């Protein structure tokens, strides 16, 4: 058995050899993946050029403000006192447009609006209706008819009431703003509680990691045992009734299968198998579970020694926010690019006097009025120019922007992982802790990563970006073809989506460990990914056990933080818990669920940020631990760097020189 195990390990490369000069993250290193770094910088330069082009040609006012028939914006400029657009004949809007097309074109209506001299030429509205503003536009709204137009107003009101309900959100917005104004400081208190709980949970793991993991494992065993009991009870009841799947037959109504005995029998067998596997793992993998617990404890100590790492997610959050904001603004400006076009228009264009002035030809609305005998002649807005070079390239520029969004986001996340890995690796490879830990490990790792490994991070981020864009394209195709697919096509599409999802998860796992190796040894992305993968495959059982124990621990931590903040927020904002007295009373709210949901979402974000740092710490220390086992043997020349707890679990120890029976400080 031992020989077979050694052969399996040899298939994944040779163990790391001892290097007497290695003392943690290498400081004398060179730039890696230079070509990819240059390509990334050129891409960023092009991304900036796209933003400049969008800013020069775009006009976001097209979607922020309504425009009248002359192309003038309502609510700004010379019309700043006229914020609402009035449709002369709302019937033409209802008959000629639908809500989707109207939303895409800015809710423009085919009825021109201009000053006129008579109703006969239809230059003024022939009738007026009570209206209400929605998105800067006046829509008829009345619950009663008018003497002048009996029965018409009520019918129109019923016909567009759905549109008003969906668009007119001003009252709700005001109430939401009031709720935030009255409760913002209590929301900050809730977020502060989430921050404290997250930090305490991580720091206390050094004391309670072992008992907590045991309680969680026993809890999972208990849940599975109850599931087995429940399935057995349901199976007995349905068996006595004689409810069988042969009587039900095949049906697409999945809920119907809960009424047959075979379903509960299959669930019982599945849960029993899972229970048995977990019990066997608990018995035969207990030493590896102890190693995982010791690494969690060591990670808690590392975080306690370098508290600044817990707040690095704020840097990542700011960088991600900048990337998303830049893309959103650029996409908005690109979508609104195009010069407005104006033409001469007249209600009676067929008159000889109107034909002379070339009706339907281009004009300038800012120029002096044209002296013409054509009645009602005006320069009106026609649309936006779509024949220019920029306009013809809008789709390609938007694709470039989407690629830039994914690549920059993944690069920022990669930067955070590599920086944290460098900081935590310096903790593990400090033989005398905390004396040998660098003074500023986080800032040193940040500068080192930016200076030498921008190209490697860009390489890994690009690979992940291509897979994510492939998933987006596949989702788009699936959405477009969903109505015409047959069952076989849906099955094939589902298989493709599942494969890409698995590929993305694997690449994220590989990239994460590659960044750890880059932070430690300073090699390029491909070499680091290969070394990390081989090292993990030589210790695959330890990898699985540590991964699942860590996932269980972090899930419980998130549940504790988010659940605790959610319960406290509910009891406080719903008035079930009274305030602290004058000046700290419960806020009066229109929607008490709004600050509750905000607090829960904020608590989840905070907990995810803290626990992502802790998870990166565990993964880094684990790789360092595996390297320590292969690199060193506990002798005076090659001592282990791991903690005494890990040495005790593994049955190993470091030799001590004579005259120093206490050994070296660990």
């Amino acid at each position: 058995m031992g020989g077979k195990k050694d052969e399996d390990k040899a298939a994944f490369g040779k163990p790391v050899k001892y290097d007497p000069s290695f003392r943690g993250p290498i400081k004398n290193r060179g730039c890696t993946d230079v070509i990819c770094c240059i390509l990334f910088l050129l891409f960023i330069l092009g991304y900036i050029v796209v933003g400049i082009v969008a800013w020069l040609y775009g006009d976001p006012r097209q979607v922020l403000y309504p425009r009248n028939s002359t192309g003038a914006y309502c609510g700004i400029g010379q019309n700043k006192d006229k914020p609402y657009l009035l449709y002369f004949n709302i019937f033409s809007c209802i008959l000629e447009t639908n809500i989707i097309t109207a939303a895409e074109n800015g809710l423009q209506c085919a009825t021109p609006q201009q000053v006129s001299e008579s109703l006969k030429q239809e230059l003024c509205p022939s009738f007026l209706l009570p209206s209400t503003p929605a998105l800067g536009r006046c829509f008829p709204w009345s619950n009663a008819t008018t003497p002048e137009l009996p029965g018409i107003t009520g019918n129109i009101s019923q016909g567009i009431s759905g549109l008003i309900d969906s668009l007119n959100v001003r009252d709700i917005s005001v109430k939401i703003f009031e709720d935030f104004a009255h409760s913002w400081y209590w929301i900050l208190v809730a977020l502060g509680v989430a921050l404290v709980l997250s930090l305490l949970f991580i720091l206390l793991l050094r004391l309670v990691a072992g008992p907590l993991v045991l309680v969680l494992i026993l809890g999972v065993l208990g849940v599975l045992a109850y599931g087995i009991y429940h399935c057995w009870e349901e199976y007995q009841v349905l068996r006595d009734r004689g409810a069988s799947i042969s009587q039900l037959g095949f049906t697409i109504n999945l809920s119907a299968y809960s009424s047959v005995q075979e379903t509960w029998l299959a669930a019982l067998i599945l849960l029993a198998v899972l229970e048995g596997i977990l019990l066997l793992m608990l018995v035969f993998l207990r030493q590896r579970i102890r190693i995982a617990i010791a690494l969690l404890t060591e990670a808690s100590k590392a975080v306690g020694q370098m508290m600044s790492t817990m707040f690095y997610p704020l840097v990542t959050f700011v960088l991600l926010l900048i990337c998303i904001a830049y893309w959103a603004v650029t996409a908005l400006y690109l979508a609104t690019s195009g010069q407005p076009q104006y033409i001469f228009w007249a209600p009676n264009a067929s008159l000889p006097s109107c034909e002379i002035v070339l009706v339907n030809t281009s004009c300038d609305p800012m120029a002096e009025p044209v002296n013409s005998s054509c009645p009602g002649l005006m320069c009106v807005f026609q649309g936006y120019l779509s024949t220019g070079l920029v306009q013809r390239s809008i789709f390609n520029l938007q694709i470039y922007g989407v690629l830039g969004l994914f690549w920059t986001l993944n690069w920022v996340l990669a930067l955070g992982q590599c920086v944290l890995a460098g900081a935590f690796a310096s903790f593990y490879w400090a033989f005398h802790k905390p004396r040998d830990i660098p003074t500023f490990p986080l800032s040193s790792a940040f500068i080192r990563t930016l200076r030498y490994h921008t190209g490697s991070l860009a390489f890994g981020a690009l690979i992940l970006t291509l897979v994510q864009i492939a998933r987006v394209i596949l989702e788009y195709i699936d959405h477009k073809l969903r109505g015409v697919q047959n069952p076989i096509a849906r099955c094939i599409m589902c298989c493709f989506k599942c494969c890409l999802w698995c590929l993305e998860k694997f690449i994220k796992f590989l990239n994460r460990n590659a960044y750890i190796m880059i932070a430690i040894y300073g090699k390029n992305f491909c070499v680091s990914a290969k070394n990390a993968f081989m090292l993990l495959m030589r210790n695959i059982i330890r990898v699985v056990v540590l991964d699942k124990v860590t996932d269980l621990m972090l899930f419980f931590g998130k549940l504790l933080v988010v659940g605790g903040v959610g319960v406290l927020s509910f009891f406080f904002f719903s008035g079930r818990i009274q305030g602290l007295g004058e000046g700290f009373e419960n806020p009066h709210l229109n929607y008490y669920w709004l600050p509750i949901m905000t607090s829960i979402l904020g608590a989840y974000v905070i907990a995810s940020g803290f626990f992502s740092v802790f998870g990166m710490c565990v993964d880094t220390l684990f790789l360092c631990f595996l390297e320590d086992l292969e690199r060193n043997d506990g002798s005076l020349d090659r001592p282990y760097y791991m903690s005494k707890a890990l040495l005790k679990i593994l049955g190993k120890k470091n030799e001590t020189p004579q005259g120093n029976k206490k050994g070296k400080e660990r």
Side-chain angles (χ1 to χ4, degrees):
M1 292 296 293
K4 178 64 175 176
K5 189 180 297 184
D6 293 338
E7 292 178 2
D8 293 339
K9 286 189 175 183
F12 297 103
K14 297 180 180 180
V16 181
K17 295 183 179 180
Y18 172 69
D19 182 4
S21 64
F22 180 76
R23 293 292 184 272
I26 296 175
K27 296 179 174 57
N28 297 325
R29 57 179 72 191
C31 296
T32 57
D33 296 301
V34 178
I35 296 178
C36 195
C37 178
I38 295 174
L39 291 177
F40 182 65
L41 294 178
L42 290 176
F43 181 88
I44 294 298
L45 182 61
Y47 198 19
I48 295 174
V49 172
V50 170
I52 295 174
V53 171
W55 181 76
L56 291 176
Y57 289 92
D59 187 3
R61 294 180 301 174
Q62 297 178 24
V63 296
L64 299 178
Y65 300 97
R67 304 184 74 164
N68 62 17
S69 300
T70 64
Y73 292 105
C74 300
I76 60 175
Q78 60 182 359
N79 296 323
K80 63 180 180 180
D81 297 329
K82 302 175 182 178
Y84 304 123
L85 176 66
L86 173 65
Y87 296 113
F88 272 25
N89 188 355
I90 194 65
F91 292 108
S92 62
C93 294
I94 298 174
L95 295 175
E96 297 178 15
T97 62
N98 56 61
I99 186 62
I100 298 178
T101 305
E104 293 177 350
N105 296 326
L107 284 176
Q108 294 180 0
C109 183
T111 55
Q113 177 182 353
Q114 58 249 324
V115 179
S116 63
E117 297 180 358
S118 66
L119 291 173
K120 183 177 180 180
Q121 295 179 340
E122 297 183 354
L123 302 180
C124 285
S126 56
F127 59 89
L128 292 174
L129 298 173
S131 60
T132 185
L135 294 180
R137 295 160 176 85
C138 297
F139 289 95
W141 182 256
S142 177
N143 294 324
T145 60
T146 61
E148 295 82 2
L149 298 169
I152 294 181
T153 309
N155 293 335
I156 296 178
S157 173
Q158 296 175 3
I160 64 173
S161 59
L163 179 63
I164 296 298
D165 292 339
S166 62
L167 295 180
N168 192 9
V169 295
R170 173 166 300 186
D171 291 341
I172 298 178
S173 301
V174 171
K175 292 180 180 179
I176 291 175
F177 179 80
E178 291 177 350
D179 287 346
F180 278 121
H182 293 157
S183 62
W184 65 269
Y185 44 91
W186 290 113
I187 294 176
L188 292 180
V189 171
L191 298 183
V193 171
L195 189 148
V196 173
L197 287 177
S198 301
L199 190 59
L200 286 177
F201 181 84
I202 292 175
L203 295 180
L204 290 177
L205 280 180
R206 69 178 69 181
L207 303 176
V208 298
L212 186 56
V213 170
L214 180 61
V215 169
L216 292 176
I217 293 177
L218 293 177
V220 173
L221 289 173
V223 171
L224 290 176
Y226 174 78
I228 293 173
Y229 168 77
H230 181 73
C231 291
W232 172 250
E233 290 291 326
E234 293 290 336
Y235 170 73
Q236 281 188 318
V237 172
L238 294 173
R239 184 188 60 184
D240 295 339
R241 293 179 184 175
S244 175
I245 195 172
S246 59
Q247 300 174 351
L248 177 64
F250 177 76
T251 176
I252 60 175
N253 183 14
L254 299 180
S255 61
Y257 288 102
S258 62
S259 60
V260 296
Q261 56 178 312
E262 287 82 0
T263 301
W264 293 101
L265 180 61
L268 186 150
I269 295 174
L270 178 62
L271 292 178
V273 171
L274 291 176
E275 183 90 353
I277 292 175
L278 191 56
L279 285 173
L280 291 175
M281 290 178 59
L282 194 60
V283 173
F284 293 102
L285 300 179
R286 59 186 183 277
Q287 183 175 359
R288 289 181 171 85
I289 294 176
R290 292 175 62 195
I291 293 175
I293 294 173
L295 284 171
L296 291 173
T297 304
E298 197 70 9
S300 177
K301 294 179 181 178
V303 170
Q305 290 289 339
M306 295 180 288
M307 290 295 296
S308 59
T309 57
M310 298 303 297
F311 299 95
Y312 183 83
L314 292 176
V315 178
T316 301
F317 176 77
V318 171
L319 294 176
L320 292 176
L321 192 63
I322 292 174
C323 294
I324 295 174
Y326 180 82
W327 168 80
V329 173
T330 301
L332 176 62
Y333 272 82
L334 283 175
T336 57
S337 63
Q339 298 298 322
Q341 302 297 301
Y342 300 88
I343 60 172
F344 283 117
W345 181 89
N348 297 312
S350 59
L351 295 177
S353 59
C354 294
E355 294 178 352
I356 297 176
V357 295
L358 300 177
V359 174
N360 295 329
T361 57
S362 60
C363 61
D364 183 3
M366 304 304 295
E368 293 294 329
V370 178
N371 294 323
S372 173
S373 59
C374 179
L377 181 67
M378 287 200 66
C379 185
V380 298
F381 173 72
Q382 182 186 34
Y384 295 97
L385 181 66
S386 59
T387 58
L389 177 61
V390 175
Q391 285 69 39
R392 291 196 304 267
S393 306
I394 289 297
F395 179 77
N396 295 331
L397 294 178
Q398 292 284 22
I399 294 297
Y400 192 97
V402 172
L403 178 61
L405 173 67
F406 279 93
W407 199 358
T408 53
L409 290 181
N410 288 322
W411 185 87
V412 169
L413 294 175
L415 175 65
Q417 293 174 354
C418 195
V419 169
L420 291 174
F424 292 126
S426 65
F427 169 85
Y428 185 92
W429 296 109
F431 192 80
H432 298 284
K433 301 179 179 66
R435 189 179 66 193
D436 292 345
I437 299 176
T439 307
F440 301 104
L442 185 64
S443 57
S444 299
F446 183 82
I447 296 173
R448 188 167 58 241
T449 302
L450 278 181
R451 181 179 178 182
Y452 297 110
H453 307 303
T454 296
S456 297
L457 303 184
F459 191 9
L462 178 60
I463 297 174
L464 182 59
T465 296
L466 295 178
V467 176
Q468 290 175 338
I469 289 181
R471 288 193 63 195
V472 171
I473 294 174
L474 202 62
E475 290 288 348
Y476 176 79
I477 295 175
D478 182 46
H479 175 74
K480 288 295 183 180
L481 302 180
R482 187 167 298 171
V484 296
Q485 286 177 347
N486 55 40
I488 297 178
R490 285 200 299 270
C491 180
I492 294 174
M493 183 64 69
C494 183
C495 291
F496 276 122
K497 291 164 64 175
C498 180
C499 291
L500 284 179
W501 180 84
C502 294
L503 180 60
E504 181 183 356
K505 292 296 181 182
F506 173 75
I507 290 178
K508 284 183 177 180
F509 171 79
L510 188 62
N511 284 4
R512 184 182 181 92
N513 290 282
Y515 299 145
I516 295 175
M517 301 300 280
I518 290 173
I520 298 174
Y521 297 105
K523 297 182 179 180
N524 62 48
F525 177 82
C526 292
V527 173
S528 299
K530 175 188 173 183
N531 293 341
F533 182 74
M534 293 299 182
L535 179 62
L536 294 174
M537 292 303 297
R538 291 196 295 268
N539 302 271
I540 186 62
I541 298 179
R542 286 172 176 166
V543 172
V544 174
V545 173
L546 177 71
D547 183 63
K548 297 310 172 187
V549 171
T550 304
D551 288 345
L552 183 63
M553 184 71 68
L554 297 184
F555 172 77
F556 176 76
K558 288 183 181 180
L559 188 64
L560 177 66
V561 174
V562 177
V565 172
V567 170
L568 290 176
S569 300
F570 172 77
F571 280 98
F572 179 78
F573 290 115
S574 62
R576 289 171 171 80
I577 295 180
Q578 298 301 318
L580 303 179
E582 185 177 356
F584 298 95
E585 303 89 353
N586 298 65
H588 300 284
L589 304 171
N590 299 294
Y591 310 107
Y592 72 87
W593 52 264
L594 185 65
I596 294 176
M597 296 304 298
T598 305
S599 301
I600 291 176
L601 180 61
Y604 178 79
V605 171
I606 291 174
S608 298
F610 274 83
F611 294 146
S612 66
V613 173
F614 184 75
M616 196 67 202
C617 181
V618 173
D619 291 344
T620 303
L621 297 184
F622 180 58
L623 278 182
C624 294
F625 164 73
L626 297 180
E627 290 250 342
D628 194 9
L629 284 176
E630 294 185 352
R631 183 185 296 275
N632 303 308
D633 58 7
S635 62
L636 290 177
D637 295 330
R638 299 166 59 183
Y640 291 113
Y641 283 76
M642 66 186 72
S643 63
K644 289 184 178 180
L646 285 169
L647 287 172
K648 183 178 180 180
I649 293 172
L650 295 172
K652 299 179 182 294
K653 62 179 181 179
N654 284 330
E655 294 183 6
T656 57
Q658 295 182 356
N660 186 11
K661 298 298 183 180
K662 293 183 179 180
K664 294 184 178 181
E665 179 187 354
R666 302 296 297 121

